[in-house]
Amino acid sequence: MIATKGYAAQNATTDPALWSFEHREPGPNDILIDIHFCGICHSDIHQARNEWGNALYPMVPGHEIVGTVARVGSAVTKFKVGDKAGVGCMVDSCRVCPSCKAGEEQYCDKGATVWTYNSKTDAGLTFGGYSDKIVLDESFALHIPDNLNLAATAPLLCAGITTYSPLRHFGAGEGKRIGIVGLGGLGHMALKFSHAFGAHTVQFTTSASKIEDAKKLGADEVILTKEAGWDANLGRTFDFVLDCVSAPHDITPYLGLLKRDAVYCSVGIPETPIQVAAFAVAMGRKHVTGSAIGGIKETQEMLDFCGKHNIVSDIEMTTFDKLSEAWVRVVKADVKYRFVLDTKSL
């Protein structure tokens, strides 16, 4: 077994603290990654505090992981020692169902997706990237383009693919008018991708202080939604709206922006159910949907796209001794735009 140290939540009411645990020895198809950086995702907080009702303790959060390969199993072909590697939200699936065979492992039809942390396996619980090491099958590890800043690449493994996937799936690109709701960890990545795809991109935000940031990040227009009548004259003018807000909010005004047959997609995953007025979707045959990360193949595609276009997350570096403070700021949306933990601080 491989001795590992990290930060673990022991229950729903206390913040993660230093904890020692073990990973398995790498098998023939496994790689051992020395973790250098791990992004802080709002879902880490949701799960550690059992806000989604599925928490397993002790829990070592973290699924935006980057580092270098330290060991490889005898049958490994994708990686060699010294390679930069990343780990996102999942480390295994059934691999044989239609969804897995289609490269959509996150939607495994057998419900057998093994999440990077907070999953129960025959070998025990999975532990994530708030730690110094991780062992996983090479099939679920990602190559990191050499030209990308490693720390700023970490959030691409969740915030990046979570926004890239629906934008690609629903056809964001030249000639399309795309709305991005919320300018936070997810929203700023969505804005960068939509702009890079060539779409006319409109950023919606409640924060006047973020207007200039949005323009710098690639927004063609910025709409401040705290102002009364903000949606006047915008009805039925959008091909797609991607909602990146994790707090409960009324989506009805955004449905009014959609063209006939257009799509509103939620990736923020609010804690409370989304309320949809029947007439808001019936009049215009509009679609309300969601999206969850992306498969391994698409995540690698996203990373390669980022390498080609030099796209990374805007980050604030932090250390483990300041984790509780960072979590408070994440909940307050007081970070531009993603915290990344430096594992050297362990």
Side-chain angles (χ1 to χ4, degrees), residues 35 40 56 60 247 315 337:
I35 299 173
I40 296 177
L56 301 170
V60 178
I315 66 170
Y337 281 98

Side-chain angles (χ1 to χ4, degrees), residues 172-194:
E174 293 184 11
K176 296 296 180 70
R177 185 175 172 87
I178 306 297
I180 308 298
V181 184
L183 189 60
L186 291 174
H188 92 289
M189 290 307 312
L191 178 51
K192 289 186 179 189
F193 284 134
S194 182

Side-chain angles (χ1 to χ4, degrees), residues 14 27 95 102 147 222 303:
T14 58
R95 310 194 195 197
N147 64 303
V222 184
L303 287 168

Side-chain angles (χ1 to χ4, degrees), residues 7-182:
Y7 265 51
Q10 301 295 335
N11 54 58
T13 59
T14 58
D15 288 340
L18 190 62
W19 186 60
S20 295
F21 59 101
E22 293 180 324
H23 280 300
R24 68 179 184 270
E25 290 287 338
N29 298 302
D30 290 337
I31 62 173
L32 167 66
I33 298 174
D34 284 338
I35 299 173
H36 298 322
F37 304 101
C38 183
I40 296 177
C41 179
H42 202 150
S43 62
D44 298 339
I45 304 169
H46 285 309
Q47 295 201 74
R49 293 178 175 168
N50 200 26
E51 292 171 347
W52 291 343
N54 65 341
L56 301 170
Y57 302 103
M59 184 191 301
V60 178
H63 53 210
E64 297 180 340
I65 302 166
V66 292
T68 56
V69 177
R71 287 169 57 185
V72 299
S74 59
V76 168
T77 59
K78 285 176 58 180
F79 294 90
K80 64 182 184 301
V81 172
D83 283 352
K84 295 178 182 178
V87 184
C89 297
M90 53 188 171
V91 292
D92 207 352
S93 69
C94 85
R95 310 194 195 197
V96 295
C97 72
S99 289
C100 288
K101 286 186 174 180
E104 301 280 13
E105 300 93 343
Q106 76 278 26
Y107 301 131
C108 178
D109 299 326
K110 295 186 177 182
T113 303
V114 178
W115 305 109
T116 304
Y117 69 89
N118 199 43
S119 268
K120 193 171 186 178
T121 71
D122 292 340
L125 298 180
T126 56
F127 299 123
Y130 287 21
S131 60
D132 61 353
K133 300 179 184 69
I134 191 168
V135 175
L136 74 156
D137 189 298
E138 66 166 339
S139 299
F140 283 78
L142 291 309
H143 286 279
I144 306 297
D146 287 333
N147 64 303
L148 297 182
N149 176 281
L150 195 59
T153 297
L156 299 181
L157 278 303
C158 178
I161 187 58
T162 294
T163 52
Y164 179 95
S165 183
L167 286 166
R168 271 292 193 226
H169 182 79
F170 291 107
E174 293 184 11
K176 296 296 180 70
R177 185 175 172 87
I178 306 297
I180 308 298
V181 184

